[in-house]
Amino acid sequence: AEALDAVLGALSLPDGAPLRLPELWAQLAERALAMARMPVVVRACGVCLSLLKQRQDVPGAPALAPSEWRPFAQAEWLHGAALGQLAGAKGQAAELSAQLRTQAAAHLATATEYSLHAHAPVHVARCASAFWAHALPLARDGATRAATATMTRA
């Protein structure tokens, strides 16, 4: 746990800005998920994905190469997996569980899209499978059925 905190600090510049290395942020999130350190997963994924947004916000920036999409696909998948684990936690309130599943499904849908950009068919299948594992229970629940139908049409 302390090692993850040290890595989190090492991936930041002296002014607190994150290093622009999405691969490292995605790897940190993966290690944190393996250790069930959900706050670190969420932070690392958030930083990784903010790097994508910053790049997309630059006018005239070149399109990402397929290999450059991989850490972003991984970050979305890991964020969805972390939320999915929280949704399935023993004793989790049904309403909170549904909210977490909805958020997990949204991240997994985006992970599927990014995996397509990355030309990674195995990852596409993994993300889509995880997406449906969350979307189907939501579709069966009357309280979340409409939101799920909207999400699956996107």
Side-chain angles (χ1 to χ4, degrees):
E2 290 178 19
L4 285 178
D5 292 335
V7 172
L8 194 58
L11 289 177
S12 298
L13 297 171
D15 65 0
L19 289 177
R20 295 180 176 269
L21 299 168
E23 298 85 2
L24 293 179
W25 287 102
Q27 288 175 11
L28 174 61
E30 185 174 37
R31 300 305 184 280
L33 183 62
M35 297 175 71
R37 294 279 311 233
M38 300 312 173
V40 177
V41 175
V42 171
R43 167 105 168 95
C45 289
V47 170
C48 183
L49 296 168
S50 74
L51 296 173
L52 173 61
K53 181 167 178 15
Q54 288 172 12
R55 181 160 176 181
Q56 290 174 327
D57 288 346
V58 174
L64 292 172
S67 63
E68 293 177 295
W69 281 101
R70 289 193 174 139
F72 305 117
Q74 182 182 12
E76 285 287 7
W77 184 83
L78 291 164
H79 200 158
L83 292 170
Q85 284 184 16
L86 292 172
K90 195 172 188 172
Q92 191 69 270
E95 186 176 319
L96 179 56
S97 180
Q99 289 173 356
L100 291 168
R101 281 188 180 281
T102 301
Q103 292 174 11
H107 283 285
L108 293 165
T110 303
T112 304
E113 176 189 346
Y114 291 176
S115 296
L116 285 168
H117 291 306
H119 300 173
V122 172
H123 199 63
V124 170
R126 183 171 104 172
C127 293
S129 175
F131 167 83
W132 285 110
H134 293 291
L136 289 176
L138 293 168
R140 291 184 190 116
D141 183 346
T144 56
R145 186 173 296 130
T148 306
T150 302
M151 183 182 353
T152 56
R153 283 189 211 113

